[in-house]
Amino acid sequence: MKPDIENKILIPFMVLIILSISSVGGISYWNGYRLLLDNQKKNMQENLTETIHLIETFNEAVESKQLSLQEAKEKVVGYYEQLGPIGFVIAEKKHIMVDRFEPSNTTLENIFSDIRGDQKKGAVETDRFVFTYVVYEPWKWTVGYGLNKNIFSEELIAVQKYNLLIVIIFLIISMQATILIAYNLSKPIKLLADTCNNIANGNLEEKIFIRRRDEIGVLANAFNNMMNKLQKNTSKLIEIKQFNEDILRNISTGIITTDQSGNIVSINHTAEEMLQQDTCGQDSDQSLEKVLIDQLKETLSLEKSLNHVYVFQYQQNNDMLYIDVTTSLLKTDEGQISGAICNFNNITERKKIEKKIERVNRLTSVGQLAAGLAHEIRNPLAGMKTGMQVLKKRLSTPEEPSNENLFNGVLYEIDRLNHLITDLLDFAKPRLPRYERANVREILNRALYLIKKAASEKQIEINIKDDGKKHEVIVDQGQIEQVFLNIIANALKAVEQEGTLNIYIERISEPKGQFVSVEFEDNGCGIRPEDMETIFDPFYTTYPQGTGLGLSVVHKLVTENNGEIEVESKIEVGTKFKIKFHVDGEA
């Protein structure tokens, strides 16, 4: 565990205090020790001086012939052997005569070996002992005192025990004061550190409450002011971020951003949904995601914006999907390229509207041309038919039956041309619809009654599935009946013998409003994908005897009755025509 700020402050201060007090105490102890030792040496010298005086007294007796030198020496030695103080030593030329020294003779000999011959008095000091000596030259004696230093230490402790007690008390007080100072210094710092940790964990409501007038108090106030500004700025940033996220989440445009290497950095919800669609491009090996990534990388490579429209196909129902893709560079304020951005839209509905407008314009032009041609052709046909009828009466005789067959064939073709011109006129200039409230199911039933014979001849099963709801709309009943007849007739042509035609009637709700939907689903041969764009064009047909105007008329009539028509088809599976009418009769 790492030491906290309090220990980092406390430990150095305590070490310094302990060292300082210990140093003072040690120096005081050492000075007392040396003073006591010097005093003891002085006392020992004084005692040795008294001993020398005694020896000199006996020496005077020797000089006055009262005693011999040997007797004097024996008396002195005897006296000190009995009454000499502890540590007293008399030696004659390193021969120990009196030995009251506590250590062994070996130690005493080592001490005497350290005494220089030219020194008459002095002291020898070792780690354990101190020895003071004086040389009495007339007798060649060395008189000395030896003491153990431990005696000085014990005496010194006894003398300075009160001083040591004061030092210890002062040390304890200093340590307590150091602890208190370290606590007061570290507490606000630790509080600041804890608050910063809480802020780092996301709690921006933290504040520091320190009532101090020093720099720490100024720091606490500055920190609180900084947190207030940070909270305000953070709230603004969160609001802006949330607003931007709401825009990206709800926008109908797919947004993808990449880095400089083309790796995806972000993608919004709309883009994710569009990428999950089961589609394939015109090249079946290309998916929507691959196309977008390729264009983004191309933008990064060329360093310019690109715009393309791609066509995709749903794999389940073969419907076409149009995607408008625009890619551009992402640049910093300094103009450095940091990546690329791609925005893409589903413009399928727009394409459908454009095609509807194009089809309406084309139908209008064709209708105007057809109306003019029909009027110009219909009058000559009427004259030709009248002439042929007259010639038939004049030239047709029992003797020449081939003439009658010839005239009948010509009249049949004239009637067929007249029927075609009638269809053209119906397509070019149909009558204005007469809107009224009608039931779609009843209109369908009338159409099915008229087509019943043709269905039974091919043994086609027609099934009607009704949701049972109210199916009233405002339309022209005659026109809608013609729409149903044309669609059912086309279904019967497409279905093989003993096929099936399912008709679904239901009421549906869409963002645009309430609708009544009528769906015709057959299991016929289907429509080729390349023909899906032209089935409503005039004169387009896949049947040799067809005019190609049936579905054109259907589209025109459905549009004039404020309806919508959709087609889905798969080869060898079948076709679905879905017609929707607004319940209120308004587009």
Side-chain angles (χ1 to χ4, degrees), residues 168-214:
I168 293 173
I169 293 173
F170 183 74
L171 179 62
I172 294 173
I173 294 173
S174 299
M175 293 179 65
Q176 291 294 331
T178 302
I179 293 173
L180 182 61
I181 293 171
Y183 175 76
N184 289 331
L185 288 176
S186 64
K187 181 180 178 181
I189 298 175
K190 292 169 68 175
L191 179 61
L192 180 62
D194 293 339
T195 304
C196 291
N197 287 332
N198 293 333
I199 293 171
N201 293 329
N203 186 4
L204 300 180
E205 301 296 330
E206 289 288 331
K207 294 291 177 62
I208 298 178
F209 298 98
I210 299 177
R211 304 298 182 184
R212 296 176 63 159
R213 296 183 180 181
D214 55 6

Side-chain angles (χ1 to χ4, degrees), residues 136-327:
Y136 185 66
E137 190 64 28
W139 288 9
K140 304 298 181 182
W141 275 14
T142 299
V143 181
Y145 275 111
L147 293 178
N148 193 332
K149 288 184 178 181
N150 291 335
I151 297 175
F152 302 146
S153 299
E154 293 174 358
E155 291 180 0
L156 184 63
I157 291 174
V159 171
Q160 294 192 351
K161 60 183 179 180
Y162 295 107
N163 293 335
L164 292 176
L165 181 61
I166 292 172
V167 169
I168 293 173
I169 293 173
F170 183 74
L171 179 62
I172 294 173
I173 294 173
S174 299
M175 293 179 65
Q176 291 294 331
T178 302
I179 293 173
L180 182 61
I181 293 171
Y183 175 76
N184 289 331
L185 288 176
S186 64
K187 181 180 178 181
I189 298 175
K190 292 169 68 175
L191 179 61
L192 180 62
D194 293 339
T195 304
C196 291
N197 287 332
N198 293 333
I199 293 171
N201 293 329
N203 186 4
L204 300 180
E205 301 296 330
E206 289 288 331
K207 294 291 177 62
I208 298 178
F209 298 98
I210 299 177
R211 304 298 182 184
R212 296 176 63 159
R213 296 183 180 181
D214 55 6
E215 287 80 359
I216 294 178
V218 174
L219 178 62
N221 293 331
F223 183 85
N224 291 334
N225 293 333
M226 180 187 69
M227 286 306 304
N228 291 331
K229 294 181 180 179
L230 180 61
Q231 289 175 8
K232 293 179 181 179
N233 294 334
T234 301
S235 299
K236 292 181 180 178
L237 288 176
I238 292 174
E239 291 177 1
I240 294 173
K241 179 176 179 293
Q242 187 64 42
F243 181 70
N244 291 333
E245 289 179 352
D246 291 341
I247 291 175
L248 290 176
R249 182 171 53 253
N250 296 291
I251 193 173
S252 60
T253 300
I255 304 293
I256 297 177
T257 58
T258 66
D259 57 18
Q260 293 177 331
S261 301
N263 300 315
I264 295 178
V265 176
S266 65
I267 179 171
N268 71 339
H269 181 67
T270 303
E272 289 180 349
E273 289 183 343
M274 294 178 69
L275 291 177
Q276 291 174 357
Q277 294 176 347
D278 186 17
T279 60
C280 61
Q282 292 176 339
D283 182 356
S284 58
D285 294 335
Q286 288 188 332
S287 63
L288 175 58
E289 182 176 1
K290 186 177 184 302
V291 168
L292 297 177
I293 296 299
D294 289 344
Q295 185 168 327
L296 280 166
K297 290 182 178 179
E298 184 179 2
T299 294
L300 290 170
S301 176
L302 300 178
E303 295 187 359
K304 68 176 184 179
S305 300
L306 298 175
N307 178 255
H308 297 296
V309 176
Y310 298 97
V311 181
F312 296 88
Q313 189 175 24
Y314 289 102
Q315 296 180 0
Q316 292 184 349
N317 54 19
N318 292 328
D319 283 352
M320 306 308 293
L321 176 68
Y322 296 86
I323 302 295
D324 182 11
V325 182
T326 300
T327 53

